[in-house]
């Protein structure tokens, strides 16, 4: 079974409260989602492997460590975009892939309309990013797409999840560890997380 890590650092929880508040405006919402993206990345990448290379400091030659593997960030469109800059701020060498999903009106299943990945993804540590882990359907389908590339080291990164989404994701992809900053109470009948933060895409992009 995959590991679920709730990253409950006080700074992150403080920023999450700002993000949850319905009175928070679009600019502040976007800034805080990105800042959480940066902070949570420290936890997600804590166990990444490093390798030694030789460099020269202004004083002498020395051995020093760098990341052993590439990191590829894959936001699920559109809300996942809200965390990308924050994550990339702390991993500037990360490449970005994209997966776009829409919900088919008839089957209600998430359907891919766009997928583009950097070639490095096969051997990289892949961070699938979606702030909301609600039903888990989009995350499951996005990970299906990423796995088609041959990528194996995949982690899911979100802000707010719920027991239903976590269970679904763990059942579908038990090799994908989940990093989240809050496990909320439940999903409501409209598919929103309760208490949640509302529609993350709308709040990020001011579309409502
Ligand atoms: N997507 C959102 O943006 N918010 C939710 O609460 C659930 C899914």
């Amino acid at each position: 079974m995959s590991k679920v890590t709730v990253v409950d650092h006080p700074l992150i929880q403080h920023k999450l409260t700002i993000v949850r508040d319905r009175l928070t405006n679009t600019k502040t919402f976007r800034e805080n989602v990105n800042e959480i993206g940066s902070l949570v990345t420290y936890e997600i990448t804590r166990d990444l492997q490093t390798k030694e290379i030789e460099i020269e400091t202004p004083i002498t030659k020395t051995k020093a460590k760098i990341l052993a593997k590439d990191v590829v960030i894959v936001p699920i469109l559109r809300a996942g975009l809200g965390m990308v800059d924050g994550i990339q701020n702390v991993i500037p060498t990360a490449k970005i892939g994209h997966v776009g999903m829409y919900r088919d009106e008839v089957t209600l299943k998430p359907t891919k309309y766009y997928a583009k990945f950097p070639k490095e993804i096969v051997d990289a540590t892949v961070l699938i990013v979606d702030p909301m882990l609600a039903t888990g359907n989009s995350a499951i389908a996005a990970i299906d797409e990423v796995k088609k590339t041959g990528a194996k080291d995949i982690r899911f990164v979100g802000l707010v999840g719920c027991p239903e989404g976590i269970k679904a994701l763990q059942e579908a992809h038990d090799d994908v560890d989940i990093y989240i900053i809050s496990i909320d109470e439940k999903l409501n009948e409209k598919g929103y997380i309760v208490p949640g933060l509302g529609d993350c895409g709308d709040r990020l992009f001011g579309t409502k």
Side-chain angles (χ1 to χ4, degrees):
M1 189 54 79
S2 66
K3 192 176 63 166
V4 180
T5 304
V6 179
V7 188
D8 58 357
H9 189 286
L11 282 177
I12 295 181
Q13 295 305 319
H14 183 93
K15 290 176 191 297
L16 177 61
T17 300
I18 296 170
V19 165
R20 284 192 194 277
D21 190 334
R22 72 180 182 87
L23 297 178
T24 297
N25 66 31
T26 304
K27 178 173 185 283
T28 308
F29 185 91
R30 199 170 47 235
E31 286 168 356
N32 278 273
V33 168
N34 260 314
E35 286 165 8
I36 293 171
S38 295
L39 294 170
V40 86
T41 303
Y42 284 95
E43 197 57 47
I44 300 161
T45 54
R46 181 182 288 278
D47 63 342
L48 290 190
Q49 285 174 2
T50 55
K51 66 180 178 191
E52 261 186 353
I53 58 167
E54 193 167 88
I55 58 163
E56 258 181 78
T57 74
I59 311 298
T60 183
K61 280 189 178 167
T62 186
K63 293 210 163 89
K65 289 176 180 171
I66 58 168
L67 291 178
K69 291 195 337 185
D70 287 317
V71 175
V72 172
I73 307 166
V74 179
I76 302 177
L77 303 177
R78 88 195 137 132
L81 292 173
M83 294 174 76
V84 171
D85 285 351
I87 300 174
Q88 209 177 20
N89 279 344
V90 281
I91 319 176
T93 53
K95 304 249 175 3
I96 318 279
H98 294 89
V99 182
M101 297 281 167
Y102 70 91
R103 204 208 301 226
D104 187 287
E105 296 288 321
V106 180
T107 64
L108 300 183
K109 291 230 152 55
T111 308
K112 179 200 76 177
Y113 66 86
Y114 185 77
K116 181 125 185 150
F117 305 116
K119 62 178 183 328
E120 292 84 355
I121 197 165
V122 188
D123 299 311
T125 299
V126 183
L127 307 180
I128 308 280
V129 183
D130 191 346
M132 310 305 284
L133 182 53
T135 60
N137 290 340
S138 304
I140 291 166
I143 294 167
D144 286 340
E145 286 300 316
V146 167
K147 283 188 174 173
K148 284 183 197 166
T149 67
K152 291 197 170 50
D153 178 5
I154 304 171
R155 301 162 189 220
F156 176 87
V157 186
L159 297 186
V160 178
C162 59
E164 296 91 328
I166 290 171
K167 182 166 178 283
L169 181 50
Q170 283 187 310
E171 281 174 5
H173 293 291
D174 71 355
D175 53 341
V176 175
D177 288 340
I178 299 171
Y179 295 83
I180 202 102
I181 64 176
S182 172
I183 303 177
D184 280 13
E185 196 186 318
K186 60 175 184 187
L187 270 187
N188 71 12
E189 64 290 348
K190 291 188 175 142
Y192 282 97
I193 295 176
V194 181
L197 51 81
D199 188 303
C200 193
D202 281 342
R203 298 197 64 194
L204 278 168
F205 299 112
T207 41
K208 214 170 194 176

